């Protein structure tokens, strides 16, 4: 075997704050390269949903970490399935978003999820998005990106998405939630939201999804020499 065939599958790590567009961008990049895709936030959201359903306190890190073992999770056509039921919409509610951010502060929960996330790394490659993909889960990723956008722009984007789904929310309420989540995600002791020192930082405030996707692919091609 050659050294090249022993090399682990390539990883593109995309991190950033809530509603920075990283989910959509990561998915588009994975489609363009025919890579696997990991939405790591959905794992935190699944634990949050289960904790809410079972009435488990969100500050009980050890019990929450125990929930990671028996999560029967799968993704069918991009929809998250928990124990065979479609929970994609349930995972996106503001209650689950806030609970996910609260349970993600626990080091026990984070370490219980590490191997599960690394198992997504398979040939031909993986695009992984979250908060600590480049810093903790895939520190050897060949390309790391950190997407930012102003809190106002992120609230406006989320507002548009929710209104399109017929969910009534105010921009002010969303802005407040986003600021709260940013503060909690960036100041927690365990794997806080931060750009890896070797990450490319992209401010997407004035860019469209297509422009950001093209920029990420250009960085990847530049790194790998791929066409
Ligand atoms: O990306 P998201 O909004 O779906 O993530 C939901 C929550 O999970 C977010 O508030 C922080 C947490 N999270 C995390 O701590 N680390 C990750 N790699 C992904 C998400």
């Amino acid at each position: 075997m050659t050294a090249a065939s022993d090399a682990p599958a390539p990883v593109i790590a995309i991190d950033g704050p809530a509603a920075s567009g990283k989910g959509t961008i990561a998915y588009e990049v994975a489609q363009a390269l025919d890579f696997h895709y990991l939405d790591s936030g959905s794992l935190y959201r699944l634990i949050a949903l289960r904790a809410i359903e079972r009435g488990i306190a969100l500050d009980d890190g050890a019990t929450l970490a125990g929930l990671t073992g028996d999560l029967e999770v799968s993704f069918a056509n991009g929809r998250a399935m928990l124990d065979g039921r479609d929970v994609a919409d349930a995972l996106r509610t503001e209650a689950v978003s806030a609970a996910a951010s609260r349970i993600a502060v626990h080091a026990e929960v984070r370490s219980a999820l590490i191997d599960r996330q690394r198992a997504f790394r398979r040939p031909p490659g993986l695009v992984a998005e979250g908060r600590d993909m480049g810093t903790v889960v895939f520190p050897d990723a060949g390309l790391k990106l950190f997407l930012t956008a102003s809190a106002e722009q992120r609230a406006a984007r989320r507002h548009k998405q929710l209104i399109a789904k017929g969910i009534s929310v105010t921009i002010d309420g969303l802005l407040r939630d986003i600021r709260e989540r940013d503060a909690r995600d960036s100041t927690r002791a365990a794997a806080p939201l931060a750009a890896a020192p070797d990450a490319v930082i992209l401010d997407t405030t004035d860019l469209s999804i297509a422009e950001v996707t093209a920029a990420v692919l250009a960085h990847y091609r530049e790194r790998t020499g791929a066409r």
Side-chain angles (χ1 to χ4, degrees), residues 15-19 22 39-42 44-45 92 96-98 100-102 104-105 110 117 129-133 137 158 181 185 188 190-191:
D15 290 305
K22 61 192 172 358
D39 161 12
S40 62
S42 69
Y44 291 91
R45 288 172 183 271
R92 298 283 142 198
V96 169
S97 301
S101 166
R102 287 184 59 194
V105 305
R110 307 198 68 84
Q117 294 173 86
E129 60 102 341
R131 304 292 189 293
D132 60 347
M133 298 297 97
V137 182
R158 182 61 47 97
R181 274 215 280 158
D185 293 348
R188 68 180 178 225

Coordinates of all heavy atoms in Angstrom, one line a residue, residues 15-19 22 39-42 44-45 92 96-98 100-102 104-105 110 117 129-133 137 158 181 185 188 190-191, ligand 1:
D15 N -16.7 26.0 10.8 CA -17.3 26.4 12.1 C -17.8 27.8 12.0 O -17.5 28.6 11.1 CB -16.2 26.3 13.1 CG -15.8 24.9 13.4 OD1 -16.7 24.1 13.8 OD2 -14.6 24.6 13.3
G16 N -18.7 28.2 12.9 CA -19.2 29.5 13.0 C -20.4 29.6 13.9 O -20.8 28.6 14.4
P17 N -20.8 30.8 14.2 CA -21.9 31.0 15.2 C -23.3 30.6 14.6 O -23.4 30.3 13.4 CB -21.9 32.5 15.5 CG -21.3 33.1 14.3 CD -20.3 32.1 13.7
A18 N -24.3 30.6 15.5 CA -25.6 30.3 15.1 C -26.1 31.1 13.9 O -25.8 32.3 13.9 CB -26.6 30.5 16.3
A19 N -26.7 30.5 12.9 CA -27.3 31.2 11.8 C -26.3 31.9 10.9 O -26.6 32.8 10.2 CB -28.5 32.1 12.2
K22 N -23.6 28.3 7.9 CA -22.6 27.2 7.7 C -23.3 25.8 7.4 O -22.7 25.1 6.6 CB -21.7 27.0 9.0 CG -22.4 26.7 10.2 CD -21.5 26.8 11.4 CE -22.2 26.7 12.7 NZ -23.6 26.5 12.8
D39 N -23.6 17.3 10.1 CA -24.2 18.5 10.8 C -24.0 18.2 12.3 O -24.9 17.5 12.9 CB -25.6 18.6 10.3 CG -26.5 19.4 11.2 OD1 -25.9 20.1 12.1 OD2 -27.7 19.4 11.1
S40 N -22.9 18.6 12.9 CA -22.7 18.1 14.3 C -23.7 18.7 15.3 O -24.0 18.1 16.3 CB -21.2 18.5 14.7 OG -21.0 19.9 14.7
G41 N -24.2 19.9 15.0 CA -25.2 20.5 15.8 C -26.4 19.6 16.0 O -27.1 19.7 17.1
S42 N -26.8 18.8 15.0 CA -28.0 18.0 15.1 C -27.8 17.0 16.2 O -28.8 16.5 16.8 CB -28.3 17.4 13.7 OG -27.4 16.4 13.4
Y44 N -26.2 17.5 19.1 CA -26.5 18.2 20.3 C -28.0 18.4 20.4 O -28.6 18.4 21.5 CB -25.7 19.5 20.4 CG -24.2 19.3 20.6 CD1 -23.4 19.2 19.5 CD2 -23.7 19.1 21.8 CE1 -22.0 18.9 19.6 CE2 -22.4 18.9 22.0 CZ -21.5 18.8 20.9 OH -20.2 18.5 21.1
R45 N -28.6 18.7 19.3 CA -30.1 19.0 19.2 C -30.9 17.7 19.6 O -31.9 17.7 20.3 CB -30.5 19.5 17.9 CG -30.1 20.9 17.6 CD -30.3 21.4 16.2 NE -29.8 22.7 16.0 CZ -30.6 23.8 16.2 NH1 -31.8 23.7 16.5 NH2 -30.0 25.0 16.0
R92 N -35.5 21.9 15.1 CA -35.3 23.3 14.8 C -36.1 24.3 15.6 O -36.0 25.5 15.3 CB -35.6 23.5 13.3 CG -34.7 22.7 12.4 CD -33.3 23.3 12.2 NE -32.3 22.2 12.2 CZ -31.0 22.4 12.4 NH1 -30.5 23.5 12.7 NH2 -30.2 21.4 12.3
V96 N -35.7 23.8 21.4 CA -34.6 22.8 21.3 C -33.3 23.5 21.0 O -32.2 23.1 21.5 CB -34.9 21.7 20.2 CG1 -33.7 20.9 19.9 CG2 -36.1 20.8 20.7
S97 N -33.3 24.6 20.2 CA -32.0 25.3 19.9 C -31.4 25.8 21.2 O -30.2 25.7 21.5 CB -32.3 26.6 19.1 OG -32.9 26.2 17.8
A98 N -32.3 26.4 22.1 CA -31.7 27.0 23.3 C -31.2 25.8 24.3 O -30.2 26.0 24.9 CB -32.8 27.8 24.0
A100 N -30.1 22.9 23.3 CA -28.9 22.3 22.8 C -27.7 23.1 23.2 O -26.6 22.6 23.5 CB -29.0 22.2 21.2
S101 N -27.8 24.5 23.1 CA -26.7 25.3 23.5 C -26.4 25.2 25.0 O -25.2 25.2 25.4 CB -27.1 26.8 23.2 OG -26.3 27.7 23.8
R102 N -27.4 24.9 25.8 CA -27.2 24.7 27.2 C -26.5 23.4 27.5 O -25.6 23.3 28.4 CB -28.5 24.8 28.0 CG -28.9 26.3 28.1 CD -30.2 26.5 28.9 NE -30.0 26.0 30.3 CZ -31.0 25.8 31.1 NH1 -32.2 26.0 30.8 NH2 -30.7 25.4 32.4
A104 N -24.6 21.8 25.5 CA -23.3 21.7 24.8 C -22.1 22.3 25.7 O -21.0 22.1 25.4 CB -23.3 22.5 23.5
V105 N -22.5 22.9 26.9 CA -21.5 23.4 27.8 C -20.8 22.3 28.5 O -19.7 22.4 29.1 CB -22.0 24.4 28.8 CG1 -22.7 25.6 28.1 CG2 -22.9 23.8 29.8
R110 N -19.7 16.5 25.5 CA -18.8 16.8 24.3 C -17.9 15.6 24.0 O -17.8 15.1 22.9 CB -18.0 18.1 24.4 CG -18.8 19.3 24.8 CD -18.1 20.6 24.5 NE -17.9 20.7 23.1 CZ -18.8 21.3 22.3 NH1 -20.0 21.7 22.8 NH2 -18.6 21.4 21.0
Q117 N -18.8 11.5 16.0 CA -18.5 12.5 14.9 C -17.4 12.1 14.0 O -17.5 12.2 12.8 CB -18.2 13.9 15.6 CG -19.4 14.5 16.3 CD -19.0 15.7 17.1 OE1 -19.1 16.8 16.5 NE2 -18.7 15.6 18.3
E129 N -19.6 20.4 9.8 CA -19.9 21.8 10.3 C -20.3 21.8 11.7 O -21.0 20.9 12.2 CB -20.9 22.5 9.4 CG -22.2 21.8 9.2 CD -23.3 22.5 10.0 OE1 -23.0 23.2 11.0 OE2 -24.5 22.2 9.8
G130 N -19.9 22.9 12.5 CA -20.3 23.0 13.9 C -19.6 24.2 14.5 O -19.5 25.3 14.0
R131 N -19.1 24.0 15.7 CA -18.5 25.0 16.5 C -17.0 24.7 16.7 O -16.2 25.6 16.9 CB -19.1 25.2 17.9 CG -20.6 25.5 17.8 CD -20.9 26.9 17.2 NE -22.2 27.3 17.3 CZ -23.3 26.8 16.7 NH1 -23.1 25.7 15.9 NH2 -24.5 27.2 16.9
D132 N -16.7 23.4 16.8 CA -15.4 22.9 17.2 C -14.8 21.9 16.2 O -14.0 21.1 16.6 CB -15.4 22.4 18.6 CG -16.3 21.2 18.7 OD1 -17.1 20.9 17.8 OD2 -16.2 20.4 19.7
M133 N -15.3 21.9 15.0 CA -14.8 20.9 14.0 C -13.3 21.1 13.8 O -12.5 20.1 13.8 CB -15.6 21.1 12.7 CG -17.1 20.8 12.8 SD -17.5 19.1 13.3 CE -17.7 19.3 15.0
V137 N -12.5 18.4 17.0 CA -12.9 17.1 16.5 C -12.0 16.7 15.3 O -11.6 15.5 15.3 CB -14.4 17.1 16.1 CG1 -14.9 15.7 15.5 CG2 -15.3 17.5 17.3
R158 N -32.6 34.2 9.6 CA -33.4 33.2 10.3 C -34.9 33.6 10.2 O -35.7 32.7 10.0 CB -32.9 33.1 11.7 CG -33.5 32.2 12.7 CD -33.4 30.7 12.5 NE -32.2 30.0 12.1 CZ -31.4 29.4 12.9 NH1 -31.5 29.4 14.2 NH2 -30.3 28.7 12.4
R181 N -27.2 32.9 22.6 CA -26.5 31.7 22.2 C -25.1 32.0 21.9 O -24.2 31.2 22.2 CB -27.2 31.1 21.0 CG -28.4 30.2 21.4 CD -28.5 29.0 20.5 NE -29.2 29.4 19.3 CZ -29.1 28.7 18.2 NH1 -28.3 27.7 18.1 NH2 -29.8 29.1 17.1
D185 N -22.1 30.1 23.7 CA -21.3 29.2 22.9 C -19.8 29.7 23.0 O -18.9 28.9 22.9 CB -21.7 29.1 21.5 CG -23.1 28.4 21.3 OD1 -23.6 27.8 22.3 OD2 -23.7 28.5 20.2
R188 N -18.2 29.4 27.1 CA -18.1 28.1 27.8 C -16.7 27.7 27.9 O -15.9 27.9 27.0 CB -19.0 27.1 27.2 CG -18.5 26.6 25.9 CD -19.4 25.5 25.3 NE -18.9 25.1 24.0 CZ -19.6 25.0 22.9 NH1 -20.9 25.2 22.9 NH2 -19.0 24.7 21.8
A190 N -15.6 24.4 28.0 CA -15.3 23.3 27.1 C -15.5 23.6 25.6 O -16.6 23.9 25.2 CB -16.2 22.1 27.5
A191 N -14.4 23.5 24.9 CA -14.4 23.8 23.4 C -15.3 25.0 23.0 O -16.3 24.8 22.3 CB -14.9 22.5 22.7
Ligands
LIG1 O1 -25.2 24.4 14.7 P1 -26.5 24.3 15.6 O2 -27.2 25.7 15.7 O3 -27.4 23.3 15.0 O4 -26.0 23.8 17.0 C1 -26.9 23.7 18.1 C2 -26.1 23.9 19.4 O5 -25.2 22.9 19.6 C3 -25.3 25.2 19.5 O6 -25.9 26.2 20.3 C4 -24.0 24.9 20.1 C5 -24.0 23.4 20.0 N1 -22.9 22.8 19.2 C6 -21.7 22.7 19.7 O7 -21.5 23.1 20.9 N2 -20.6 22.1 19.0 C7 -20.8 21.7 17.8 N3 -19.8 21.2 17.1 C8 -22.1 21.9 17.2 C9 -23.1 22.5 17.9

